Every structure is written in C-alpha cells, then in structure tokens.
Amino acid sequence: MTDPKNNDFSERLQAYYEMETECAEIYHSLVTLFPEAGDLFKTLAEWEERHADIISISIGFSDIGGISDTIVPGELSMINKTLEMTHNIMISIETEKVTLEDILGMVLKMEESMGESYLYEVMTKRTNSEAISYLQQFYKDEKTHAEMIRDFMVNEGFNREFTA
C-alpha cells in the first residue's frame, strides 16, 4: 500500500520543480524583451535554474527517503498560487504589452510569494539534515531575488511601490 503522505510530498516536489523551471523561463524571456535589464534577468534565470537543480536533487533524495518534506512548502496550494502567477506573467510576456516597470512589479510579487521565497528560507537556515546541508552548498549565500529586483528598480528610478 502506498503512503498518501509520501504521494503528497512527491506531488509538492514536482510542482515546486515546475515552478522553479517556469521562473527561469520567465527570466530568460525577459533578457530579450528588456535588454536594458538583461544582466538582472540573466542572473535571476541562472539562479532559478540552480534552484530547479536543487529540487531535482531533492526528488532523488526523496526517492530513497533521504530528505525531509520541509524542503518544500507544506501546502500544494502555496506552490500552485505561485505557478498561477508564473502563467500570468508568461501571458504578459507573450503579448509584449507590458512595460519594464510593470514586469518588474509582477516578478517582484512572484518572488515575494510563499512559493518562491520558501526555498530561500530553507537554504539559509541552520539544519541537522545532511541532505539539506548538502543542498545548501549549491545554494550559497545569495541575495533574495526580491532584493535584487528592488535594488534594480531604485537604481533605474522606478518609484512605484510593489508588495505581494
């Protein structure tokens, strides 16, 4: 008999992986659409890819029971909320009817969502888990994506205040 709790964890891991992958795709698309912010978006895309790698490795660890389910949010709905944001952002990008300031507000809101900010919290806190400590080595100490976006907005003179 399959453990339903384990199925839920697997589903959350898969959804989280999809979320990180979609975030990377968004930032790759933005490099081309807004070359004036290309360096920011390229860096964010690379970091999202690294996050997807961390979740991919976590999926492998979970298959052998080597990682705690605290690696991802406890509620699938939190991840799905961020996934919905990524889908809406992709639609805006595809129509190209969005300004740089608008897209910065959208991605800032996405980055501040529970789904996106959760990994930062897990990767920067102390842990007794050998598996999570191993994954933290990949993560390193990096600024939150939201901080990077806010810094860029200030440097570019955008005055609108964005919050999740």
Side-chain angles (χ1 to χ4, degrees):
M1 182 175 203
T2 308
D3 180 2
K5 185 178 178 191
N6 195 29
N7 282 342
D8 174 63
F9 179 44
S10 295
E11 187 177 1
R12 286 184 290 133
L13 273 171
Q14 289 297 330
Y16 211 71
Y17 176 79
E18 179 184 341
M19 182 195 73
E20 294 292 352
T21 302
E22 285 189 20
C23 289
E25 288 175 24
I26 286 169
Y27 290 127
H28 280 298
S29 297
L30 293 175
V31 168
T32 305
L33 190 58
F34 297 106
E36 64 272 32
D39 290 343
L40 169 70
F41 293 136
K42 183 176 184 230
T43 298
L44 290 168
E46 290 168 357
W47 287 0
E48 294 294 358
E49 289 169 345
R50 185 169 40 208
H51 297 173
D53 290 344
I54 288 169
I55 300 304
S56 179
I57 293 167
S58 298
I59 291 169
F61 280 146
S62 78
D63 289 345
I64 59 171
I67 196 160
S68 159
D69 72 346
T70 60
I71 192 76
V72 293
E75 303 262 339
L76 185 59
S77 63
M78 289 187 255
I79 301 166
N80 286 336
K81 180 181 175 189
T82 303
L83 273 169
E84 184 179 334
M85 288 179 189
T86 64
H87 297 313
N88 292 335
I89 292 169
M90 284 305 287
I91 290 168
S92 295
I93 292 170
E94 288 166 3
T95 64
E96 294 185 13
K97 293 182 179 180
V98 65
T99 67
L100 175 58
E101 187 173 7
D102 291 338
I103 205 70
L104 287 167
M106 290 178 194
V107 296
L108 179 58
K109 189 173 182 175
M110 176 189 73
E111 291 293 349
E112 290 178 333
S113 73
M114 180 57 147
E116 253 309 273
S117 63
Y118 188 87
L119 188 64
Y120 176 80
E121 292 174 26
V122 171
M123 291 294 112
T124 57
K125 71 179 182 181
R126 291 186 186 266
T127 182
N128 292 329
S129 166
E130 287 183 40
I132 292 177
S133 292
Y134 173 77
L135 294 171
Q136 286 175 336
Q137 292 175 22
F138 288 116
Y139 193 82
K140 299 183 182 177
D141 289 334
E142 58 188 40
K143 275 181 143 178
T144 68
H145 296 181
E147 285 177 295
M148 289 179 63
I149 294 165
R150 271 197 202 90
D151 288 350
F152 180 87
M153 291 175 77
V154 167
N155 290 336
E156 294 299 312
F158 294 119
N159 295 321
R160 284 178 31 192
E161 184 65 31
F162 294 99
T163 57

